[in-house]
Structure formats: structure tokens, C-alpha cells
Amino acid sequence: MEIRDVTTADLDAVLDNRVRAFGPVDEAEARSWRNRVDLVLPEGREIAGWDGDRLVATTRVWGFRQWWQGRPVPTGGVAGVTVAPEDRGRGAGRRIVTAALQRSIERGDVLAALHPATTAFYRGLGFEHAGALHKVTLAAEALRGITADRLDVRRAGPDDAGLVAETIARVHRDAGDCGPVDRGEGYWRTVLEDEKPFAYLAEDGVLIYRWSKDASALEVERLVAASERTARGLWAIVGSGATTAETVKAHLAPYDPVLWLVGEREHDMIDRTQWMLRVLDAPKAVELRGYRAGVSAEVPVRIDDDLVPGNSGDWTLVVKDGEGRLEPGSADPAAVRVGPRGLAALYAGVPVSTLRRAGLLHGGDIRSETLDSVFGAQPFALDYY
């Protein structure tokens, strides 16, 4: 199988493989898919494997930033992994994703993230579960009960894409969030231009939502706010549709303020979709991540990573004053030992006690509380890519 960059001339074949892998798409979905693919083609982030002139496998690596304790870390979002039905079970999937990870490293990504179609396959490539995308269903009537002062907002269009991206990023940064991604101005321009949702901009918040196809529900694609006043005002706009909509479906953080603003909340209806993480450049990933002020640590760590040899070796994790670094170290019998899966889960804040019992972390018995203090987080996603 020859792996090479996808060009515009290849898109019909790529879309055909996508349909064979994931099912049919209508004309509007196909147009939206092409427009989004256009964002990655110039960067060489859409690749395919070929057997002669026949397409075998494809994948895409979105270039975005992922927030970790309020700091943006360059991340490759692996998506659109397809293998032609007649070529499955022959290693094509592993080869195309491995090539995508190498391409991601070449483009400067220090993490990789994805929504898995199959967990076992991606664990074999060093990914591990890190967090979830929560799609929460709320009663529209409950949102209509949110009291709010009149909020100064305006409708947003494609020319506001830069401000939309900037405002969303500012909210995640100031909140110290872990997990959500910053997909940049180009992505939001495509959404606002081609999909034409209802979009509103406030000084410190963004609302993007639409009606469901049968108009029985409102679907909130993004609602972020940095203040109570803006959170109340934007959710009140959504709740004003309660005379028609029965429910509101929204991608939310597990601790989104709306869950504390609604008057009635006895049963939460949540559709939880897992996402996975992989560390591509361990020293850089540790350096760029945010850490809580007041936490300090110095821990010997041993990493073994066959797929990304640059991660492997003996290191000393040093964290102080909100900064972290992974310094070359020497062999230490008391070192914490992890493979790529354990490293990814540790970075994402999975408790050390859990990692030990899952067989993903060994050694360093006296340092559990230290590592939990360093990496402790509740990662979430707001995008499915």
C-alpha cells in the first residue's frame, strides 16, 4: 500500500470510501464534508493508502489546539479513518493511522486525540481513554425559567468567525478547562457560512444553535460564557423557544453552569461518548500543559513507547509555580513506569490508583498523591470530529 497526500482530484474516491465505512450522506452533508476537507488539504493533513489506482484507506488529522488547565497544546485530531471493506483485516488501518501520527508529529502536534470506533484497535497504537463528550438533554421549559437581565448580544455571521474563535478560546483559558479543542477561525467560518445556524456574540460569550430536523428540539452546538450574566442571558435565548421545542440537546461540560441554573433537575439525560488521547512528544506536552498554582513535584519516570521512540527513556518530572518540564534522568528503581497508554491517561488526570489497578502504571508507590495533584483533571469535549 502506497501512502500519499490526498488531492482535490481524489475526493470522490475518499468520499466513496467514507460512505462504504459509515453509511450514506445526503447532498448537504457531502457539501459540508468537502468544505471541511478543504481546510486540511493545503496542510497535508488528509492522507490515503493506494493499491495502484484503487483507494484502500484514508484518514485526516485536524490541526487544532487542545486546552489543558487553561493552556493550549498543539494536537492532531485523528478522524475519517476508513478502510475499503475488501481490504479489512490486513493491517491497512494500522498503517494509515501510524502514518497519520507521523505526519502529525511532523506538523508540530505534541498530542493526538480521537473518538474511537473501536477501543482495542487504538489502544494498540498507544491511545487511551481520557474523557467524554456529554450530550445532555434538558427540558426546554426548564430553560425558559432561567431569569436574566437583558444581555447586549448581536447576531454573528461568517465574517465574525475570528471573533467567535477568539471568544471561545478566551473562555476556556480563563476557566482553566481541560479537554475542549480550539479549531480556529477557518472551522467556524465554515460552520457559520455553510450550515447557517443561529449564532449570537456577547462580550464574553458565544451561542450557536439550530432546530432539529423535525423541529421538536433545539440543538446547541456551542454555548460558552465567562460570567453569570452572560450565561443566564444566552441560555434564556435558547429557552425562549420552549413554546415550540420540547427539549434542548447540548454538548456540555460535566460542570456547565446551566446545570445549576435550571430550577428543576431531578434526572439528567446524558449521552456519553468517549474520546481517547495519545502523547506524541512527551517533553513538549509536559512543558505546554497548565498546572495548578501551588503544586510542586519532582518524580522519576520511566516511559517505554515503541511507536514513538522519542518518548522512551528515563526522565524526571519537575513541576513548580504552574510550570512543568520533563528532564532527562537516570535509571531509578523507584521510578513511576508507564507505557504510552498509561502516559496518556496520567496526562489526562486519571487517578493513579485507577491506573495501577488497570495495569497501566507501575512503581513509584509513594508518589500517588503527588501525581494526582499534578495532573488531576476532569477532561471533557464539546466537539465530535
Side-chain angles (χ1 to χ4, degrees), residues 14-35:
V14 174
L15 181 58
D16 176 72
N17 228 40
R18 183 190 185 283
V19 170
R20 292 172 187 268
F22 301 121
V25 296
D26 60 29
E27 184 177 339
E29 291 171 324
R31 183 173 61 252
S32 176
W33 175 86
R34 287 179 182 272
N35 288 337

Side-chain angles (χ1 to χ4, degrees), residues 51 70 77 153 156 202 208 217 228 261 269 272 280 292 299 305 313 324 342:
D51 180 5
V153 297
I208 299 176
E228 177 191 356
L261 290 175
M269 295 176 59
R272 177 183 168 98
L280 301 178
R292 294 183 179 89
V299 182
D305 189 342

Side-chain angles (χ1 to χ4, degrees), residues 331-355:
D332 187 329
V336 170
R337 303 190 307 277
V338 292
R341 291 172 53 204
L343 178 61
L346 179 66
Y347 190 92
V350 177
V352 169
S353 62
T354 299
L355 298 181

